[in-house]
Amino acid sequence: MGFDYFMNPVAERIGWFPKHMPREERVLVHKLDLLILVFACFSTWANTLDVNAIYNAYVSGMLDDLQLEGNKLNYLNAVYFIGTIVFQIPSNALLTVLPAEYYIPTCEILWGLFTLGTAFVKNYNQLMVMRFFVGVTSTPCWVCNVAILNSWYRKQELGKRNAVYYCTWPLGSMFSGYLQNACLTLDGVGGLQGWRWLFIMCTIITLPISFIGIFFFPNVPSRCKSRWLTPREKELAQTRLLEEGFAPSVGLNWKVMKRVFTTWQTWVFLILANLFWQTPYAAGTPYLLWLNDVLYPAQTTADVNMVNNLSTAGMAISIVSALFFAFYSDWRGNRWDSMLMAGIVVLACNVILLIWNVSNSAKFFAFIALGFCNGPINLVIAWVAESLAYDLEVRTIAIAVINMGWAVLALVLPLTVWQTVDAPRYWTGYIFAVVISALEVIMIPLPIYLERRDKRLGLHQIEKSTVISTELDDVSVYVQNSPSEKDAEKHIGVVVITEV
């Protein structure tokens, strides 16, 4: 008997395909990985590359060329996040009615063009305009991709897929540093500085990726018209999600918004996720500026190259930790203990940096360890998806609300507690980091208690009668006693699933 990729024992040992999963379902999951993960990962990698390019450009000549002294870098960061905040909730609301395979790639084309415009700005004001529109048009990238990703997989598959998807963020940040070093060799070519070539190269990378999405990326299961999935695979995709308690789409209306803002998950995870996302903040810009101002202040070409290369170390280790904690949390069947372990390490590292009067080796360890703790941040979204499995629309928009919280903090914090003029000491920043690190650890038990309370009270355990059409592009769903109270449609050749 020949080798069967879908039944190979290695995939079972690492948990990519559980042992009990039949071959037909493994073929479907493999297809989903190719259709969803490939585009989502490349799209987010390019987005991270484009967004973070400004920080590498800043320490590679842009600061002097455009006179970005004082807090101007923070203001550029702020105007980007204003654009992101404005479009966050509208973007995911649009995702519930527009075809994802066209909506997300179109936005990618637009942000690629605004990134290209950044290469030709002549002054600070023009740069501010470009950054704002990069923020607006790149909003759907992460928040919409992660919503689609978390709409197709079983709960025991989510951790690993979210981790793989997360890894594109540090890879994009790392590659930005390497690409800037390569672009320094183009300094003067065509009359352009090396940092300008960085944005041109980012655009050349970004635009082709959008066409992958147009041709391959699917919509959510209940509205999927992908040519790459058979009618039977579309049926199976919905069936297995229903078995996991994931409710299908029931349409967008004002009742959805009411449910978003009255469910405890929105507010608890808004706070917990943003505590978790902000506590390793020092592994980013503060680490980069510490390298630039303290370890390699001479600003020779060799120093600039070393800063760009060392700035990727924390990103590299976060990839390892993301994969480790994802497989561990899927194996454990929960997300909280991985987050607790990371939270304790983050607290210790921020205390070291607050003390500051330690060796450079100790500081370097703290910065890199914070990078390691960036790895499990993807588990928050997997936890949100699982906790809101019973309502797809609420889940989609709640993820946008939670991410909008991150965007607001990313706008406010650099202008208040992480001001560039305070680099590299950041006394206020590290006090803030220690406080929220402690709050993060204290708060982790709250969603655990609320989920167990809901389960004990039988909340969200409504009876579901689901009608799945076996026609190619005609899938309709009826959820008895669902929030939409939508009438069932009658179809020829259907599978009916009832569960409590």
Side-chain angles (χ1 to χ4, degrees):
M1 186 176 179
F3 174 76
D4 188 343
Y5 167 78
F6 299 105
M7 302 302 292
N8 78 82
V10 176
E12 292 180 355
R13 288 196 192 100
I14 65 173
W16 198 258
F17 295 135
K19 285 185 178 181
H20 65 271
M21 182 181 285
R23 189 182 190 282
E24 181 186 29
E25 189 172 350
R26 295 185 187 208
V27 172
L28 170 63
V29 172
H30 179 67
K31 277 191 176 184
L32 295 178
D33 291 340
L34 293 176
L35 294 174
I36 299 172
L37 277 178
V38 170
F39 170 71
C41 288
F42 274 111
S43 174
T44 302
W45 171 74
N47 176 247
T48 308
L49 182 66
D50 295 352
V51 170
N52 286 347
I54 196 166
Y55 303 111
N56 293 99
Y58 180 82
V59 296
S60 302
M62 177 188 274
L63 187 158
D64 296 325
D65 292 338
L66 297 183
Q67 299 178 354
L68 303 181
E69 66 280 348
N71 275 328
K72 286 185 176 179
L73 178 62
N74 281 351
Y75 298 144
L76 288 167
N77 184 65
V79 78
Y80 165 82
F81 282 110
I82 288 173
T84 297
I85 293 165
V86 166
F87 201 46
Q88 199 81 209
I89 294 177
S91 177
N92 267 29
L94 286 172
L95 184 66
T96 64
V97 295
L98 295 178
E101 61 269 33
Y102 299 120
Y103 174 58
I104 300 174
T106 298
C107 291
E108 180 159 358
I109 292 171
L110 291 174
W111 99 59
L113 294 177
F114 285 116
T115 299
L116 179 63
T118 306
F120 298 99
V121 297
K122 301 299 182 184
N123 55 54
Y124 170 68
N125 290 335
Q126 292 177 2
L127 184 58
M128 290 279 280
V129 172
M130 290 297 109
R131 289 296 289 176
F132 174 78
F133 284 107
V134 168
V136 170
T137 54
S138 66
T139 298
C141 176
W142 187 87
V143 75
C144 290
N145 277 328
V146 81
I148 296 294
L149 173 66
N150 284 278
S151 298
W152 281 93
Y153 292 100
R154 290 184 183 271
K155 293 178 181 179
Q156 68 185 109
E157 300 161 1
L158 281 176
K160 291 179 280 292
R161 270 74 184 182
N162 274 284
V164 171
Y165 177 60
Y166 160 82
C167 288
T168 58
W169 171 67
L171 283 172
S173 299
M174 290 168 60
F175 193 76
S176 179
Y178 303 143
L179 186 60
Q180 179 61 71
N181 282 343
C183 289
L184 287 175
T185 63
L186 297 175
D187 193 43
V189 175
L192 299 175
Q193 297 96 327
W195 64 265
R196 294 184 186 273
W197 277 107
L198 173 62
F199 293 104
I200 294 172
M201 292 300 176
C202 286
T203 303
I204 292 173
I205 292 170
T206 298
L207 293 181
I209 293 173
S210 62
F211 292 98
I212 298 176
I214 292 172
F215 289 109
F216 295 100
F217 200 60
N219 206 334
V220 294
S222 57
R223 299 197 306 272
C224 178
K225 296 184 179 181
S226 174
R227 73 190 75 177
W228 309 105
L229 296 175
T230 67
R232 168 58 187 159
E233 287 170 335
K234 293 175 184 178
E235 176 188 311
L236 176 60
Q238 290 216 66
T239 302
R240 68 195 215 104
L241 291 175
L242 288 163
E243 292 171 353
E244 292 286 300
F246 283 96
S249 174
V250 293
L252 182 66
N253 53 51
W254 288 111
K255 291 183 180 179
V256 170
M257 299 305 296
K258 180 181 178 181
R259 297 200 303 275
V260 168
F261 293 108
T262 54
T263 181
W264 66 261
Q265 284 92 339
T266 301
W267 302 108
V268 170
F269 284 116
L270 171 66
I271 297 170
L272 180 60
N274 282 287
L275 287 174
F276 202 73
W277 292 340
Q278 293 300 327
T279 49
Y281 183 93
T285 303
Y287 171 53
L288 178 65
L289 296 182
W290 176 72
L291 290 173
N292 190 64
D293 297 345
V294 177
L295 293 193
Y296 299 96
Q299 292 296 294
T300 63
T301 300
D303 280 355
V304 171
N305 286 340
M306 187 59 73
V307 169
N308 282 326
N309 289 334
L310 283 177
S311 67
T312 66
M315 299 295 178
I317 198 168
S318 73
I319 295 172
V320 176
S321 69
L323 295 172
F324 169 77
F325 282 113
F327 281 83
Y328 172 77
S329 67
D330 277 354
W331 171 69
R332 286 277 295 157
N334 70 66
R335 313 299 176 189
W336 66 265
D337 55 352
S338 297
M339 294 173 61
L340 180 61
M341 286 187 282
I344 293 171
V345 175
V346 164
L347 177 59
C349 292
N350 281 323
V351 168
I352 291 173
L353 293 172
L354 174 61
I355 295 171
W356 194 255
N357 189 24
V358 295
S359 66
N360 283 337
S361 298
K363 293 191 188 79
F364 184 76
F365 168 80
F367 283 124
I368 299 304
L370 286 175
F372 177 83
C373 294
N374 259 321
I377 65 175
N378 64 89
L379 297 179
V380 181
I381 296 300
W383 196 353
V384 172
E386 293 162 357
S387 190
L388 287 171
Y390 60 89
D391 197 324
L392 186 146
E393 278 73 25
V394 169
R395 182 171 74 245
T396 300
I397 297 176
I399 288 174
V401 173
I402 293 166
N403 195 61
M404 188 173 70
W406 169 80
V408 170
L409 291 176
L411 164 64
V412 173
L413 294 183
L415 300 176
T416 52
V417 300
W418 297 104
Q419 295 189 54
T420 308
V421 293
D422 293 334
R425 180 64 182 90
Y426 288 117
W427 169 254
T428 304
Y430 289 125
I431 292 177
F432 176 77
V434 169
V435 171
I436 64 173
S437 297
L439 289 175
E440 167 194 279
V441 173
I442 294 171
M443 189 176 176
I444 286 176
L446 179 58
I448 301 172
Y449 163 76
L450 291 173
E451 285 183 333
R452 291 176 179 174
R453 182 205 64 181
D454 288 356
K455 185 176 182 180
R456 185 176 67 253
L457 296 176
L459 300 179
H460 315 308
Q461 303 297 313
I462 59 174
E463 182 181 12
K464 303 181 182 70
S465 297
T466 303
V467 182
I468 305 176
S469 170
T470 56
E471 295 298 320
L472 180 63
D473 293 321
D474 188 11
V475 180
S476 65
V477 179
Y478 172 59
V479 182
Q480 183 178 342
N481 298 326
S482 72
S484 70
E485 299 178 352
K486 190 176 181 180
D487 291 335
E489 298 180 20
K490 294 181 180 179
H491 294 278
I492 298 175
V494 297
V495 176
V496 178
I497 300 169
T498 301
E499 58 178 37
V500 178

